[in-house]
Amino acid sequence: MNLEKRRKPVVLEHVLGDTWCIVTGSCRIALYMPDRQNAVMIDTGMKLTDREGLLALLEQEDIRIHSILVSHFHMDHIGNLRPLKEKYGAHTYMSYYASAMLNNPGMARMATFETSFMSVPLVGPYLSATDHLIDPNTDDVVVCGHRFGVISLPGHAVENMGFVTPDGVAYLSDTILSQDVLRAVRIPYCSQCATDLEAKAFCRELNYNRYILAHNGVVDSIRELAQENIDNMRQKIQIVEDQCREYIPLERLTANVIAITGSNPDDLHKVLGAKRNVQVIVDYLLQTGRIDRRAHDGYIEYIAIS
């Protein structure tokens, strides 16, 4: 990861009514701000690339963060949770699962290093006590006197949630990616393909005033873009299945998919990420009966079912 390329000027962008975005080099952080001294932030960006610019912007614009809604526990969404909580005394709102990840070093390390492509040298700086727990199946939550809609979007992460500001602007977390990001992502990340596809299909039918994509943009309509996200995921699933015409172990399968999608075969983080994401797709293909597996010479090998 070239951090200098990811560090870009952090700017404030108006979306609709009292809904704004803080635009960093890696994401859009949603902000509901009818009062600059009692702003509600949705996610917090990444520590390594976003923190310095984010804190400087808040200071410059005289914005005080009253509360923070957390969509899911991935480090590019909770990377600045602790300093914002410490500086402003911000109240945090998140799901039971996200809270468990962030407040238990063992669970967070397991989730970060063993089931995620993202490597985090120090888990500790991301941990923060949770003030309020949100049931992802609830319809709304009142934060700082304002009612926010809650959209359950499991798939990209367990108990992943979107939020709707009082202006009718839906923040969809990482469930829907912009066209630019879709083109750049070699193998999409999700915790489970089936639920992720369902969440994308659900987003396709939403009807809100505007939509904020954490990675990375603001759009007026979501239907066509959601379908593009679905098609992209199905295409990558098909690529993996096509490589299983003969028995093949996961390492070779990963290498083949990397070659086809154009990812960097000599970057350790890229290869680890690809292996993790290919495994998730393999699990989906097994669950849906499209491939089978066997043990052979100490390897687990996979084959497509014609």
Side-chain angles (χ1 to χ4, degrees), residues 224-279:
E224 291 185 6
L225 184 57
Q227 187 60 52
E228 287 184 47
N229 276 255
I230 292 170
D231 293 342
N232 179 272
M233 177 63 80
R234 286 175 174 165
Q235 179 190 40
K236 300 303 168 56
I237 292 170
Q238 190 62 54
I239 288 173
V240 173
E241 183 179 6
D242 288 344
Q243 294 306 303
C244 299
R245 295 307 170 192
E246 297 180 351
Y247 278 108
I248 185 171
L250 183 64
E251 295 283 355
R252 174 49 53 192
L253 179 56
T254 299
N256 289 358
V257 173
I258 286 174
I260 292 169
T261 58
S263 188
N264 188 339
D266 299 315
D267 184 302
L268 178 61
H269 295 292
K270 297 292 185 183
V271 174
L272 286 172
K275 183 179 179 182
R276 182 258 174 226
N277 294 339
V278 168
Q279 180 67 71

Side-chain angles (χ1 to χ4, degrees), residues 1 81 119-120 144 146 185 193 199-200 215 236 262 267 281 300:
M1 180 190 298
L81 194 62
S119 295
V120 183
C144 193
H146 306 286
V185 171
C193 287
K200 288 173 171 33
H215 305 290
K236 300 303 168 56
D267 184 302
I281 293 176
I300 303 298

Side-chain angles (χ1 to χ4, degrees), residues 46-65:
M46 186 178 290
K47 171 190 175 183
L48 296 178
T49 58
D50 301 336
R51 178 170 298 179
E52 182 179 344
L54 172 63
L55 294 177
L57 176 72
L58 294 175
E59 190 75 26
Q60 174 186 319
E61 296 289 338
D62 192 27
I63 298 172
R64 176 183 173 274
I65 305 301

